[in-house]
Structures are given as C-alpha cells and as structure tokens.
Amino acid sequence: MDKLNIEEELKKSVSTLNPDITKQMKKCFHELTNTGNPSLPEAETKKFKRLCRESDDYVRYAFYLIMKQLTKNHSEIRLSAFQLADELFNRSHAFREILVLHLQQFLALTTALEVNKPLPPPSAAANKLKSETLLAIQRWYEKYGKGYRKLVHGYDYLKNCKFVDFTNLQAQNQAERLRLEKEEKQKQKAMADKVTKILKEISETQQEIVNCATETENCLKLLLPTTSEETLMDFSSHEANNASLDSREPSQSCSVSNQSHNKSHCSNLDRDKSKCLSAKVGQSSLSGKLLNNVESMDDTSLSSDNDCEDEESDLVAHGFNSTKFTLSIEVPDKVSVQETTDNTDIMQSLKDSSKLIDNTYLPKVIRWLEILSKNGGKENDIKSAIDLKIHLETIKSKCVDLKLVSMETNKTKLDDSDDDFEEVPEKEGFEPHIPPHLRAEYGLTDNVTTQAKPQLVTVSSESSSKTSTGWNLKERLTSQVAADPTTMANALAKVESQSLMSTSPKMFRQNSQETASNIPFVEFGADLACWENPDQIEVPSVIKYDSLHRFWTPKETETEKPSQHELSALKNRVFSFPGKFEPVKWKCRAPMPNGKVCERMDRIKCPFHGTIIARDETGKPSNVTDSSEAHQKEVTTLVEQEEPSTSCCNESHELPPWQDPELQREIEHATGHDLGSARSQKLLDKATKGKGKGKKSKKSNLTNIKAIQNTTHKRLSTKVFNKRSLKKVCATLDNCDYKRIRDKFGNQFHYSLK
Amino acid sequence: MSSVSQRANHHALLHRLTNQSNGLLKPLKLQRSVVSYFMQHLELSRNKDFKTVHSSAINDVNIDLTENRYLLSGGADGTIAIHDLENLTDIDEINHSRTYKLVCSVSPGNRNAHKRSIETVQWYPLDTGIFTSSGTDRLLKIWDTNTLKTAEEYNFSGVVHCHQMSSIATKHNLIAIGTDSSIVKLVDPRAGSATHSLRGHKDGGVRAVSWSNKDEFLLATGGVDNFAILWDVRTAKGCLMKLQDKKKKKSGFTPDTTHDGSVNGLHFTADGLHLATVGTDQKFFLWNVYTGKKLPMNFPALSHIKRRCIKFYLTKGGSDNHAFIPTGSSISTFSLSLPSSKSKHLYGHYNSVNCCTYQEQGNQLISGGNDQKILAWTHKGDQDFEEYLCDRQVEKMETKVKRNLEEVLELPPIQTIPEAIAQTLDTWSDDEI
C-alpha cells in the first residue's frame, strides 16, 4: 500500500491507547480545527499538546487525527490542522519522524502540488494554507534537515521537481514586509500632514474664534450683567445696609406682580435663584429694585443706595401701601430677554455671533479634535482644542438658556403704523367670506354669524381660529397642500369658493339647513328632459340604407325600431366614483441613521421603510395595539411590527454595501485574496440570528462552502445553460434563421427544398 | 512489535555466531544469515547521497556484475549516469553526508544520447566497457563506456519497453527486446541485426523480458495479453510453455492467464528454479520454471503497479531472500520464503519509484524515482555510523578537555551532541505541562 490508510491506522492506535485520553484528544482536536479562524486558540492548543506529551503513541495518534482532518473538504479545517501539525513538529521527534515519512501525502493535501488534487474552497484559506505550508517546509528544512534525511529529499523534490522557488518565497515575504513598512510609513506621513494642516488651521482661526466667543460673552454680559459675582457683591453690601430692615419686617406681606414693575423690562434671573430665595424680604424687594435697575440700563431713578430711614417712604413710592407684606417672586426656569430698541444691536450681534459659533466654529473645533485624536496629535494641542470646545459649548448653552424674545412682530407692526396708508385689499360690494376678526367691523354679531354661517365657512373659520390659537403642523400642512395648485385639496377649495360665489347668500342661508353637503348635480340629458313621463323617451332613429349607392336609393326607407338596448343606454347614466379624498395625517417616522425620523407622509407604505406603523416620538414602534382593532388585524400588525424591528436590527448590524458577503466571495473567488467574506458572513449570520435561523452557524464557525458556491453567477448559469433551455433557444434561433432565408431566397431552388 | 522481532533476530544472529565459532555452523550459512539480517531493516541512509546528475525521472538503475561497483542509471530525458559505489567523498560538514562520486554521464544534449525517455539500461555482463540502453525513441543503443559513444544502434518499429542480455550466456550473445509489438525480437550484436523473432504473445506489447540465470537459452517474457511465456531460444517452433494456473477454473471462455492484468515484471530467483511475475492486477506470483505451476504461497498484495515495465529485484545472497518492488511512492518489501500478509514499505521517494536494485556487496538498496533522486537504503539508515561519529566527537571533546585540564584546571567539560542527533530530540516546552 502506498498511501497511508488513515482510518485503519487510527483504529489500530486507538485500540492500544487509553480511551479516555484519546477521547479527550479527539474532542480537543475537533474544537481546534473547527474554529474557522486563521490562527489557533492558544489555550486549546496547549491542552492538546499536553495530551500529546503523554507518550509517543499519542503523538502518532495525533498525527493520524491531523491527517484525517487534512482530507476534509474545507480549507479552513485543513489550515487549522496544518497549524497544529506545525506546532507538534517543532516539539516531538516521533511526530517529525512520522510526518516526514508521510510527507508526500501531507504535501499533497496542504500545497495542492498534485494537479488533480486542488485545495478545497474558501480560496483565501487555501492560499494561506499553501503559502504557510511552503514556508513551514523551509523552516523545517533549515531546522531539522540534518536529522531527517527524507525532509531534505522532500525539500529538494519541491525545489527541483515541483519548481517551488523557496528563495523567491522568502524574497516574496521580504517584499511583502517591505511593502507593509512602506505603507505604514506613508500612512504615518499622511497623518502627520493632516495634523500639521489642522494645527495651522487652528492657529489661523483660533484668534477669530476667541474673538467671537468674547464678543458673545460680552453681549451676554451686557444683556444680563447680573452675573453671580456682581449680585453677590451687591447683596453683601445691601445686607449690611438692611440689617435693621431685616429684623424689623420679618413678616411683611406684599405681592409684587411682574407687571407692576417697569413697563416691559422684565427679566427673571434663574441663575440667582437660590440667592434671591435665600435673601429675605427686604433684600428681595431691594433686589427687585436692583433688578429693575440693572435691567433698564438707563433707569437711574431707582438707585440702590437707599438709606435705611426713608425706607417706608421709599416703599410707598414703589406702591407698597403696607409695610406688612410678603414678597413672593416667581422665578421661571428660563430667562427671557425681550428685544427693545435699546438692545437691538446687542441682540443682533449676539444672535449673529451665537449663530456663527453654533454653525461654524463648534463643528470645526469638533472636527479638529477628531482629526487630532485619530492622527495622534500632540497632547497639548488636543487639550487646547478641548478647552476651546468646552468654552464654546458653555457659551452656546448660555445662549440657548437665554430665551431671546424677538420683537419682530412688534417691529413690523410699528413699521406698518409708520406708513400713512395702509394697503387694503380692494373690496367690491358683497364679501361672501368675512374673516372672523373683521366681523365686528362689518357689524356682524357673533350670534348671527354662527347661526347663519354655512358649514363650509365654519370649517374655515375653525381652521383659522385654530391657527390663531396655536401652531399646528397638521393644519399647516393642509394649508400648504391647499396652496399647491396641483393638489386635489386646492381644486376642491376652488370649487367650493366658486359655488359660494355663485349662490346668493340668501339662498344659501335658506338651503344651508336642508343640505349639509354639496348638492349633486348632473348634466342635462334625455332622461331629465322626460323626467315626468319616462315612457316617452325616444331613441333617435337611424336610417340605414341597404344600398350604398350615391344616387340610387330605395324609395322608402324603413326606420328601424330602436332596440331596448339603445333605450336603456339613454336612460342610464354613468358616474365615476373617485372616492373621497382623505389627506394623509401620519408620517413614516422610522428612525433614520442621522438620528432623525423619516418625515415622509405616505398612506400605507413608505418606499424606504416599508409599511407604516404606529411609532412613538423616537421612532420606536409602539407595541400597544388599539383595543378596537380586531384580532385579525392584530396578527397583521404583529407581522408589521416584526418587520421593522428586524429592519432596525439590520440597521444596527447592517453591513456596509462593500461588505456584502456574497459580493466579497465572488471577488475573492476571482482574485484569491482574503477580503473577509467569512467574517462578514458571520456578522450577517449573527444579525439574522434573532430569527432562529442561526442554528447552523452555532454548530461550527467555519465558512459555509455551500454558500460560497451559491453565487449569482452559478445560479444564473445553471438556469441559462440548462440543456432544455439551450435546446429551446437553439430551436428558436434556427427557426428565425430559416424564416429569414425563406423570405430572402425562397424562390431559389436550393433553399426552397428545405 | 518491530522492536521485538528485531531483538529476536538479533538473538538468532548471536546464536549463529556462537555456533559458527564452535564449528557447528558453516561460515557461508552465517554469512547468508547476516546478509538477510541486513535486508530486513532497511532505512533511508542518513549519510549517503548520490551526486545529482539527473534533472528528470530516473527510469532504470543497474549495477555491473563484474565488480559490483558501478551504478548505471537512465533518466527520462535521455541522461545516462554512472556512479562509483565504492568511491565516496569525505563527510560533508554542512550536509553531514557522503556522496557517491559520479564517474561519467551522458547529458541529454549529447549527440549520441537518447532523444526521449530511457526505459532500460544494462551493463554488459562480462565487462564494464559496454553497456546497453533502450527507450521510447525506439532505439536500442550499445555504448562504449570509455568513449561514451554509441557503438551500435538498432531501430525498432515500436517503443522499446525492455531489453536484457543473458548474464550467464557463453554460447550466444543475444539481447531480448520487448517492444510495442507482440513479437519478441532477439538481437545479436555480433551479427548486427535482429536474428530471431519469437511469436507467441497474442497481441499488444511485451512489457518484460528476463533471461534465466541457470539455463542460458531459457527466456521469459511477459506481455499485455496477460501471459508470461517461457521460451527456449533454440527452438523456432514456438514457446516452451505459457505460465498459467491450471487449477483455477474460470467460467466462460476467458482463458487461464498468468495474471488478470498484463505481466509487467519478471525476475528469476537466485537459484533459477522459480520465476517471479508482477502484474497490473497488483499481484506477485512465483512460478516453478520446470513444471510451469504457481507456487501455493500468498504474497502480499501490491499497489500502484503501472502499465510499464516494473524493475523489481529479488535478492540473492541471503538465507532468506527478499523482494523489493516499487509500488507508488514507496518500495514494498517482503520475504520470499516466509511471506506474511503484509509487506513492509520503504518511504523515501516523493512521487513514484520507478526502479530498484540491491547491491549485494554493500548490502544496500538503490532506488530511483520520479523525484529525480537516486536513494540509498541501508541497514537502519546507517545509524551505527552516526553513533560512531557521535562517539568520535565525544572522544575528541574529552581529549580536548583533558588537554585543557592539564593546562587549566578549571574548565567545565562541554559536551555538545552532533547536530543531527540534537535535532532528533524532543523539545516540549515546560509551560505545556
């Protein structure tokens, strides 16, 4: 027998060895070889080696196990087995001896040197196996060549007969290493370039940013100068002053409404909330003054340095009648500063600068930070960038906290009032539609209007009232829709207005109670003409000439009796029913990768996210099913919910398009490079595991070879190159050819015979 | 198991040695038993190499009968090389081996060389001045060894599978040739042409020819028609006999043939009484030459017997002779007198082994294969020699140390093992306990 009979040898060795240990070895070995990883797990390898170390017989048994595994039709298994063999080869003499003895078979299974025995599929693993084996052979040759004659012969055999270029193999390795080094260098250079570029940018723009930040801060200070220190200082000074007041009037009650203060300069400081609260009554009143004082920049009439003696008069002057009052100041969470003519410029500059920070500088700084940290920038630079970022962020948060109430509306009003003439839309006589806020002008009492108003009008007034009460997206959208001349809503609105115009208000008023909706009207027809007596409907008679001669016509022409069919055609009317238009009131709201939710408004199905289901604000599908929903629907909703949840899951685990395992596999198949199709397949498997299909992948971590073979190309080719379909196609093509020839040369003798 | 039998053999050998010293055993018997002892435990020699000449597969090797010294080898690209089996180089310190020197060679570029693969090479039995070679270029060439030029060429209509000269002939000088045709040609170099043709094989080629080593006119041929035929070259009428097993009754019309496949190898045993045949049915048979009957012995089954001439060898000198048959990438070996059910395999070649021969004097097997190597197989792979080397090195060390001790008392004795042995030691690392 030339080839080693592995099964037989295994049986033989098992019969002589300790069954416990062999069982352990087998288990360990299978675990080792079924990992599918390009490298062996360390702990398991050590365990296996420890088991092998018992005696040389176990080493031989291990060899047979390895050889058996090497015959498996999966390169990843073979690769693991080979790596284990390499480990043992470097350890045991017995293993070396037996492997060298069967080196040819070993080589045939690991290097595919025999033409008729190529390595099995995952081609990436196969390539790795081949190159690693050759490298190992060279290593072994160098290390153990003197002790094992056959190894030397094997090396020579590979070199001379199989033309394996070992020097080139080494050179190749070296070249690979050099290439890697070069790449690394380039990478580092690129990184350094990036860092220097960023640093330059920082140095250029930092001053700008700082300027902007200080500007913003200054604006803020100007608007809200009572930052904590100042107030504290003031408070402390006043505390000293008002110590007596404090003791004297502990239970004064007084309510100070915000309106009673200055006209419009109102500002509540939440920052100083605690301090304000801690301050007692007198102080708070004073602080109230103080606030007033501070807020109205030019208001100097109320000075803070009041004397203790004329406190009461002072209080009276402020409108506090009684000295016994409690002051309660309501402090809202947000600080709002109203825009006035005084602070418009500051406000404007603050707005501008804050916008600049928000939109330009902060993202820029964040980007700098990212690049610096990724490309290994210096610690100091990163630190300074972080400081800058924090600074900007605090300013931003301040701006956000400070609610700037714009005065634009007032402003416009003011602007309008400045004009002498108001532009008024021209009115001619009757106005069917009176906006509700103008009703008073027209002398229409609400009572009458509500009674007399036709329903359509009420609807519109309702909508207008709604818009006046609060902004509603739905309403806005419907109004938008209506504004679009291409939509149906617009068309409907037009029709409505026309109908309103056409009917006189009186008539309208009369009919309004009878007809709730539009009166259906049909065009005039024969059936309407003879509405009273439908028997009299006459079908227009058609004269049919038997002879179609121009001159010779029969004397008497018989008029044909109209058939029942034609009669019914006159009586019947066809209405097309387009259904009632219902505007879509819901959105897809599926979570999108940018953190927002999908804003598409589709009726049933979003083209991107599938069937639309109920979702909460964050886009998570709400599990609560309506109680009104029938049981049947529940099932469908369950299905619906499952789908988006899986899609969500996919999104989180979703592989980028270039990691599509099938595509990668095809490329790998073509090029032989490892692109990691196995890894992405595993990822995909993991992602889809939730569906309960992950049973197979649990069993072993190996790449699925069958999946590799199942490529689009293969599937197509099996279909296209199917014998039957080929026959069919050939037959049709032949037929076409024949037809063409027959058409062209059918009159020729040669072709006519066919 | 093997170690036990080895020890038993050892004991038997020692027993014989004592018997011989007591005069109870003839020296020849002892010699034979020692020789067969050497045959039993062949291993790839660790320190003997042949100088590489061939750059293609080696198809045949032959050792001259006059001196048992020169090894003739023919390659698949027409290379012929002659190695001196008694002239070894000194120990190469790098490879730790000794190389058989090359005497001369015919490279494939030579004008006289075979244009295609050489299938058979043979020394002239009486002299090393002549050798013959034949190959797939349909030529049989007779060479002058001293000038390395062809003295004579014979052209045939088909590929020459094999040829042989009788080693004992004194009355004739015929070369038997098996070609693609069924007719066996006998060439007489003295006449300069094919003198006889032996018609007996039905169809197909003749893959093996062998002259008897007892009867100079007895020739055995094996063909693709599954028959091995014995001829007396003096009778032109027909064959002497066809070797077939009469006992075996087969149903239908299939004739009883020598083998169930073509007969690809023939070799007479040392005593000339039996003929060994190897067929593509992967079987090995021994036939009685005089009765034409098969010996009732079960020889181990072979494998990888190809459809070409098998150059196997039956040893002569031992008390228990062995057969060495190239089977695939290994050489199967088993005893002829006590055939066991399993043969031993000698693994050493990569790809397939094409030929093997045994040098009786040197007690070594020489084989050639497709891996372009000629390998020498010796008793336990010259382990003794290695041990001797080891001892010598140790001795050297000791003397050195002694000398050093004389000079400087404090010098630790450094004992380094030779690298070849160091490499064969286990190196389990301690962290795996």
Side-chain angles (χ1 to χ4, degrees):
Chain A
M1 278 275 159
D2 174 39
K3 290 280 157 68
L4 160 84
N5 192 342
I6 297 160
E7 291 290 333
E8 203 176 285
E9 296 284 350
L10 265 177
K11 252 182 217 165
K12 219 165 65 182
S13 54
V14 163
S15 65
T16 57
L17 295 172
N18 184 359
D20 288 344
I21 296 175
T22 52
K23 209 180 261 177
Q24 252 182 322
M25 274 175 77
K26 219 173 178 175
K27 198 183 155 205
C28 187
F29 181 69
H30 277 274
E31 272 172 26
L32 273 170
T33 50
N34 281 324
T35 53
N37 286 336
S39 58
L40 292 173
E42 216 159 88
E44 295 280 323
T45 318
K46 261 186 189 168
K47 192 185 163 195
F48 190 71
K49 278 196 271 193
R50 197 170 55 238
L51 287 169
C52 285
R53 212 187 164 175
E54 297 275 322
S55 83
D56 284 354
D57 289 330
Y58 290 108
V59 172
R60 267 174 224 120
Y61 176 70
F63 172 74
Y64 295 131
L65 280 177
I66 286 169
M67 285 305 274
K68 195 185 168 192
Q69 210 71 345
L70 279 178
T71 56
K72 291 272 163 69
N73 258 339
H74 200 297
S75 274
E76 282 175 6
I77 297 178
R78 287 194 189 189
L79 180 62
S80 297
F82 158 73
Q83 282 162 342
L84 205 58
D86 190 25
E87 288 280 335
L88 290 176
F89 193 91
N90 286 325
R91 297 273 177 267
S92 162
H93 168 64
F95 190 85
R96 259 170 272 164
E97 231 168 22
I98 196 164
L99 191 132
V100 163
L101 208 59
H102 300 287
L103 190 59
Q104 197 191 351
Q105 205 174 345
F106 184 81
L107 286 176
L109 291 170
T110 50
T111 54
L113 288 175
E114 282 169 43
V115 181
N116 53 349
K117 280 187 207 155
L119 291 178
S123 56
N127 282 347
K128 188 165 189 245
L129 175 64
K130 193 177 168 183
S131 59
E132 269 196 16
T133 311
L134 290 178
L135 277 174
I137 292 285
Q138 192 173 22
R139 259 198 330 268
W140 296 349
Y141 167 74
E142 278 160 10
K143 207 168 168 188
Y144 301 105
K146 279 167 198 167
Y148 302 88
R149 197 86 201 133
K150 209 193 158 194
L151 187 62
V152 180
H153 290 321
Y155 182 77
D156 288 348
Y157 168 69
L158 286 176
K159 215 157 83 173
N160 298 329
C161 301
K162 294 294 175 186
F163 304 109
V164 174
D165 195 352
F166 280 104
T167 51
N168 195 19
L169 205 70
Q170 232 167 16
Q172 219 173 22
N173 249 25
Q174 219 159 18
E176 212 169 295
R177 213 171 45 238
L178 275 175
R179 209 193 64 231
L180 280 178
E181 269 173 23
K182 211 174 171 185
E183 265 178 24
E184 188 67 23
K185 254 183 201 169
Q186 272 182 348
K187 218 177 182 179
Q188 273 185 352
K189 203 187 161 196
M191 272 162 67
D193 280 356
K194 250 185 189 173
V195 168
T196 49
K197 208 174 150 193
I198 287 296
L199 283 177
K200 202 181 163 194
E201 200 185 327
I202 289 174
S203 63
E204 276 172 1
T205 38
Q206 196 167 23
Q207 198 50 49
E208 216 175 295
I209 292 172
V210 168
N211 285 346
C212 182
T214 45
E215 190 188 333
T216 332
E217 271 187 334
N218 288 339
C219 286
L220 280 172
K221 263 182 199 163
L222 286 172
L223 284 175
L224 290 171
T226 50
T227 43
S228 49
E229 318 94 55
E230 285 180 45
T231 40
L232 259 179
M233 266 175 59
D234 285 342
F235 279 142
S236 53
S237 65
H238 283 295
E239 240 169 328
N241 288 341
N242 303 333
S244 54
L245 181 129
D246 227 9
S247 53
R248 245 188 285 160
E249 303 159 337
S251 58
Q252 282 175 335
S253 67
C254 150
S255 69
V256 182
S257 67
N258 279 344
Q259 285 98 9
S260 70
H261 282 301
N262 261 323
K263 282 183 245 166
S264 61
H265 303 257
C266 152
S267 109
N268 296 310
L269 298 172
D270 64 340
R271 266 158 236 253
D272 306 319
K273 197 175 178 179
S274 53
K275 273 143 210 161
C276 282
L277 288 176
S278 68
K280 289 277 162 73
V281 192
Q283 283 162 349
S284 44
S285 76
L286 279 168
S287 76
K289 280 180 239 161
L290 189 87
L291 285 178
N292 291 338
N293 180 23
V294 164
E295 280 141 27
S296 58
M297 298 295 289
D298 45 351
D299 191 5
T300 47
S301 63
L302 296 167
S303 59
S304 56
D305 40 12
N306 284 328
D307 289 329
C308 299
E309 285 91 69
D310 35 36
E311 255 174 313
E312 290 213 358
S313 62
D314 215 31
L315 280 170
V316 169
H318 278 280
F320 299 143
N321 294 329
S322 153
T323 50
K324 292 186 177 179
F325 69 95
T326 52
L327 181 72
S328 66
I329 298 167
E330 280 177 32
V331 186
D333 293 343
K334 292 256 174 171
V335 185
S336 62
V337 176
Q338 233 167 25
E339 193 176 334
T340 57
T341 45
D342 301 323
N343 60 8
T344 24
D345 293 339
I346 299 167
M347 290 280 263
Q348 201 56 49
S349 66
L350 176 66
K351 260 183 206 165
D352 287 347
S353 54
S354 74
K355 208 179 259 175
L356 203 62
I357 285 169
D358 205 14
N359 292 342
T360 320
Y361 292 141
L362 203 57
K364 208 179 234 174
V365 171
I366 287 167
R367 194 173 60 90
W368 288 346
L369 258 179
E370 232 171 59
I371 290 168
L372 279 178
S373 56
K374 264 183 195 169
N375 296 320
K378 277 177 196 164
E379 211 171 301
N380 287 339
D381 298 331
I382 293 174
K383 257 184 190 168
S384 65
I386 287 172
D387 288 343
L388 199 62
K389 189 190 155 198
I390 289 166
H391 188 64
L392 288 178
E393 267 172 355
T394 49
I395 289 168
K396 190 190 162 191
S397 66
K398 266 183 200 169
C399 290
V400 168
D401 287 344
L402 187 75
K403 202 173 163 190
L404 296 173
V405 177
S406 68
M407 235 177 58
E408 268 171 33
T409 47
N410 300 340
K411 209 178 182 179
T412 48
K413 261 189 183 173
L414 277 169
D415 287 345
D416 287 348
S417 62
D418 286 347
D419 290 337
D420 289 338
F421 300 106
E422 223 174 299
E423 260 183 53
V424 179
E426 281 184 24
K427 292 175 188 177
E428 279 185 14
F430 167 71
E431 278 177 60
H433 176 73
I434 302 159
H437 63 275
L438 296 174
R439 263 171 209 290
E441 271 182 52
Y442 286 81
L444 293 169
T445 54
D446 276 345
N447 220 3
V448 176
T449 44
T450 41
Q451 270 178 4
K453 232 187 277 174
Q455 207 150 355
L456 273 167
V457 180
T458 48
V459 170
S460 66
S461 75
E462 263 172 27
S463 68
S464 65
S465 69
K466 262 181 196 167
T467 44
S468 63
T469 48
W471 187 81
N472 192 342
L473 184 73
K474 222 194 283 172
E475 295 295 334
R476 213 187 115 217
L477 279 170
T478 48
S479 69
Q480 270 181 0
V481 164
D484 189 358
T486 54
T487 54
M488 192 178 179
N490 186 278
L492 278 175
K494 257 185 198 167
V495 167
E496 277 161 13
S497 61
Q498 273 174 7
S499 65
L500 280 174
M501 294 285 266
S502 60
T503 51
S504 68
K506 261 192 183 175
M507 278 269 288
F508 204 71
R509 236 169 261 170
Q510 280 167 6
N511 294 340
S512 60
Q513 280 167 349
E514 296 164 15
T515 55
S517 60
N518 280 347
I519 302 162
F521 64 95
V522 289
E523 281 164 46
F524 190 76
D527 54 341
L528 284 183
C530 311
W531 189 256
E532 302 294 322
N533 35 3
D535 301 335
Q536 281 178 1
I537 295 177
E538 272 181 21
V539 180
S541 58
V542 180
I543 299 165
K544 283 182 180 169
Y545 298 108
D546 284 341
S547 145
L548 294 171
H549 203 273
R550 285 157 71 187
F551 312 123
W552 300 101
T553 49
K555 215 175 179 183
E556 285 179 13
T557 51
E558 276 181 30
T559 52
E560 248 180 61
K561 225 182 176 184
S563 67
Q564 201 61 37
H565 180 71
E566 282 167 16
L567 199 69
S568 64
L570 276 175
K571 281 179 184 173
N572 289 342
R573 279 171 171 279
V574 180
F575 295 94
S576 55
F577 178 70
K580 205 179 169 190
F581 176 74
E582 268 182 48
V584 181
K585 291 171 189 165
W586 51 84
K587 286 179 187 170
C588 173
R589 279 222 301 255
M592 291 203 293
N594 62 356
K596 292 174 181 169
V597 291
C598 181
E599 293 284 329
R600 277 193 68 91
M601 292 175 70
D602 295 288
R603 196 170 295 279
I604 294 157
K605 200 175 168 187
C606 174
F608 304 116
H609 304 98
T611 322
I612 291 163
I613 53 153
R615 291 170 192 277
D616 62 5
E617 307 302 303
T618 54
K620 280 178 196 160
S622 51
N623 289 321
V624 191
T625 49
D626 285 342
S627 54
S628 61
E629 270 180 344
H631 181 70
Q632 291 174 336
K633 265 196 175 174
E634 240 169 71
V635 178
T636 55
T637 47
L638 264 177
V639 172
E640 277 174 1
Q641 271 164 9
E642 200 177 49
E643 202 175 35
S645 70
T646 51
S647 74
C648 276
C649 195
N650 277 343
E651 255 172 339
S652 59
H653 291 284
E654 202 170 70
L655 301 166
W658 63 86
Q659 277 186 15
D660 175 34
E662 198 169 300
L663 177 76
Q664 272 181 333
R665 239 178 271 133
E666 270 174 41
I667 297 169
E668 271 172 27
H669 199 70
T671 60
H673 293 297
D674 187 8
L675 297 174
S677 72
R679 260 169 285 134
S680 36
Q681 180 65 50
K682 270 173 222 161
L683 276 176
L684 205 71
D685 286 348
K686 229 183 246 171
T688 51
K689 220 175 199 173
K691 282 189 174 178
K693 284 179 184 171
K695 224 177 188 180
K696 240 182 214 170
S697 57
K698 225 182 248 174
K699 207 173 171 187
S700 78
N701 299 318
L702 297 167
T703 317
N704 193 357
I705 304 177
K706 277 177 190 165
I708 290 167
Q709 283 158 354
N710 184 20
T711 55
T712 43
H713 186 268
K714 195 144 196 173
R715 285 197 298 269
L716 270 177
S717 66
T718 49
K719 281 251 163 97
V720 171
F721 299 118
N722 183 15
K723 231 181 190 178
R724 268 161 82 201
S725 61
L726 272 180
K727 243 185 206 171
K728 227 181 345 188
V729 169
C730 283
T732 8
L733 284 176
D734 281 353
N735 236 349
C736 285
D737 276 357
Y738 174 64
K739 220 175 243 170
R740 213 177 52 229
I741 286 166
R742 199 189 53 196
D743 289 349
K744 272 189 175 171
F745 316 114
N747 52 356
Q748 288 177 16
F749 174 73
H750 179 66
Y751 293 101
S752 65
L753 284 179
K754 271 185 186 175
Chain B
M1 289 253 293
S2 61
S3 63
V4 171
S5 70
Q6 220 168 306
R7 209 167 295 150
N9 274 324
H10 237 91
H11 280 295
L13 203 65
L14 287 173
H15 188 68
R16 275 162 195 241
L17 203 64
T18 49
N19 277 356
Q20 201 265 329
S21 62
N22 293 339
L24 294 169
L25 198 72
K26 282 182 182 172
L28 189 65
K29 275 195 171 177
L30 180 76
Q31 184 197 332
R32 282 170 178 267
S33 63
V34 167
V35 165
S36 55
Y37 171 74
F38 279 136
M39 283 174 207
Q40 279 164 359
H41 305 291
L42 287 179
E43 266 178 48
L44 196 62
S45 172
R46 289 172 201 217
N47 50 24
K48 278 181 189 165
D49 261 340
F50 284 88
K51 186 161 173 45
T52 49
V53 187
H54 295 276
S55 51
S56 63
I58 292 150
N59 283 338
D60 199 10
V61 286
N62 191 257
I63 299 168
D64 75 293
L65 293 169
T66 48
E67 285 180 86
N68 268 313
R69 179 173 173 181
Y70 295 107
L71 180 84
L72 184 66
S73 57
D77 59 350
T79 319
I80 294 171
I82 299 168
H83 287 89
D84 191 347
L85 292 181
E86 280 173 13
N87 193 356
L88 286 131
T89 56
D90 287 338
I91 300 165
D92 183 5
E93 285 304 326
I94 300 160
N95 286 324
H96 210 268
S97 67
R98 307 198 296 166
T99 320
Y100 287 115
K101 278 179 184 166
L102 182 74
V103 179
C104 56
S105 69
V106 179
S107 63
N110 194 314
R111 196 155 54 95
N112 296 312
H114 281 275
K115 295 288 174 292
R116 290 187 196 167
S117 166
I118 293 173
E119 291 297 310
T120 322
V121 287
Q122 199 194 7
W123 284 106
Y124 184 62
L126 304 172
D127 190 3
T128 50
I130 301 169
F131 65 88
T132 55
S133 68
S134 66
T136 49
D137 57 354
R138 303 173 178 187
L139 287 174
L140 168 73
K141 292 191 180 191
I142 299 174
W143 296 78
D144 182 353
T145 318
N146 296 316
T147 58
L148 279 182
K149 278 177 185 166
T150 47
E152 191 78 71
E153 267 185 24
Y154 299 94
N155 205 343
F156 297 93
S157 54
V159 169
V160 181
H161 287 297
C162 53
H163 76 267
Q164 200 180 30
M165 290 175 101
S166 174
S167 56
I168 52 155
T170 50
K171 288 174 183 161
H172 71 82
N173 197 18
L174 295 171
I175 307 170
I177 290 153
T179 61
D180 266 345
S181 78
S182 61
I183 301 164
V184 179
K185 295 261 167 94
L186 294 177
V187 166
D188 191 347
R190 283 181 299 189
S193 68
T195 52
H196 293 50
S197 49
L198 305 171
R199 293 156 202 267
H201 285 288
K202 272 175 194 143
D203 51 323
V206 175
R207 292 251 175 90
V209 289
S210 183
W211 290 95
S212 164
N213 47 4
K214 275 282 170 296
D215 185 348
E216 63 175 307
F217 297 110
L218 191 66
L219 175 73
T221 59
V224 183
D225 62 347
N226 301 358
F227 275 109
I229 300 178
L230 285 174
W231 311 83
D232 188 337
V233 290
R234 290 166 299 188
T235 57
K237 266 199 300 187
C239 64
L240 215 56
M241 63 175 81
K242 286 186 174 182
L243 297 176
Q244 55 197 67
D245 201 357
K246 298 273 168 27
K247 278 182 205 166
K248 200 165 70 179
K249 278 283 172 201
K250 275 207 167 177
S251 60
F253 300 103
T254 49
D256 293 328
T257 53
T258 314
H259 277 277
D260 287 339
S262 61
V263 181
N264 284 358
L266 294 168
H267 206 284
F268 281 93
T269 53
D271 51 10
L273 297 174
H274 298 105
L275 177 68
T277 59
V278 170
T280 48
D281 56 352
Q282 318 294 345
K283 274 172 187 155
F284 177 89
F285 293 136
L286 268 184
W287 304 82
N288 190 323
V289 174
Y290 294 103
T291 59
K293 281 185 178 168
K294 192 164 78 177
L295 295 192
M297 286 203 279
N298 283 327
F299 291 101
L302 307 172
S303 67
H304 297 269
I305 298 294
K306 290 187 205 155
R307 297 177 173 211
R308 64 189 290 191
C309 186
I310 304 291
K311 282 105 181 178
F312 68 99
Y313 197 86
L314 304 180
T315 56
K316 291 168 188 153
S319 59
D320 178 19
N321 283 317
H322 283 72
F324 294 103
I325 306 166
T327 51
S329 66
S330 65
I331 300 168
S332 298
T333 170
F334 50 85
S335 162
L336 289 174
S337 52
L338 297 164
S340 60
S341 62
K342 272 201 89 176
S343 58
K344 223 180 112 187
H345 290 273
L346 302 176
Y347 291 102
H349 278 286
Y350 294 84
N351 221 323
S352 64
V353 187
N354 291 327
C355 52
C356 58
T357 187
Y358 194 80
Q359 193 200 10
E360 306 280 344
Q361 257 72 10
N363 283 311
Q364 63 178 348
L365 181 75
I366 293 161
S367 63
N370 274 354
D371 57 354
Q372 311 169 3
K373 286 228 162 202
I374 304 172
L375 298 182
W377 305 76
T378 51
H379 178 71
K380 291 187 180 173
D382 294 330
Q383 212 173 18
D384 310 341
F385 178 72
E386 217 155 68
E387 277 160 18
Y388 154 75
L389 279 181
C390 191
D391 286 347
R392 211 176 62 174
Q393 198 147 352
V394 169
E395 250 174 52
K396 248 190 212 168
M397 286 284 177
E398 276 171 359
T399 50
K400 223 183 217 175
V401 166
K402 268 180 193 168
R403 214 178 298 148
N404 283 341
L405 273 174
E406 282 165 13
E407 290 168 7
V408 190
L409 280 168
E410 291 169 30
L411 227 170
I414 312 152
Q415 283 218 349
T416 50
I417 335 163
E419 217 175 326
I421 292 169
Q423 286 177 357
T424 57
L425 296 176
D426 278 0
T427 49
W428 295 103
S429 62
D430 286 334
D431 60 324
E432 277 142 22
I433 297 168

